[in-house]
Amino acid sequence: MIIPEDTKQLGYAMEMEENSDNILNEDYLDWTAEDADKKLLNMTPQQLIHLNKAFKIAIRSKDQTIQAKDDIIVTLKEVIAEKENSNKLKDEMILELRQKQSKG
């Protein structure tokens, strides 16, 4: 089976996603909409910078994961199309051979 080159990119994107999840794991993900306003107002500039960086990493890694998956899907569709073509040619050859056998 052909392994798409994009699997390396997918692995990297998934690793980045895992790292961003670790950064965001500091209770940011459990905030409700009501809590967010209060908590954001009480955060220090350093905490806000940290939160902003974490969200940027998370968004970038999600985008890279999506792109890598899209690239893999395109590659797999191409492989499927090639297999279907190959199967069609085989079927045509078998039909041709059977026709020759029935005549001869």
Side-chain angles (χ1 to χ4, degrees):
M1 180 177 156
I2 299 171
I3 298 175
E5 189 65 29
D6 298 319
T7 54
K8 291 178 186 174
Q9 182 182 355
L10 178 60
Y12 174 74
M14 291 173 76
E15 182 180 323
M16 281 194 62
E17 182 178 332
E18 188 175 305
N19 290 339
S20 67
D21 288 344
N22 291 338
I23 292 170
L24 290 173
N25 227 4
E26 299 178 20
D27 296 329
Y28 302 137
L29 300 176
D30 296 330
W31 289 3
T32 62
E34 298 83 30
D35 291 339
D37 287 339
K38 291 178 196 171
K39 289 184 179 186
L40 287 171
L41 288 173
N42 291 323
M43 290 179 83
T44 66
Q46 184 70 18
Q47 289 171 318
L48 289 170
I49 290 169
H50 179 75
L51 180 62
N52 186 38
K53 181 187 272 188
F55 281 128
K56 284 181 179 180
I57 291 170
I59 290 168
R60 189 177 335 120
S61 70
K62 298 282 188 217
D63 289 346
Q64 289 175 341
T65 300
I66 290 168
Q67 184 60 52
K69 287 179 181 180
D70 288 348
D71 293 344
I72 290 170
I73 289 169
V74 167
T75 302
L76 291 174
K77 284 182 178 181
E78 290 170 356
V79 169
I80 290 170
E82 287 175 18
K83 297 278 185 193
E84 287 174 346
N85 251 357
S86 176
N87 287 340
K88 184 178 177 184
L89 289 173
K90 287 178 188 176
D91 290 345
E92 289 172 358
M93 290 173 65
I94 290 170
L95 181 62
E96 188 178 319
L97 286 171
R98 286 184 179 159
Q99 288 173 349
K100 286 182 180 180
Q101 285 178 345
S102 66
K103 290 181 181 178

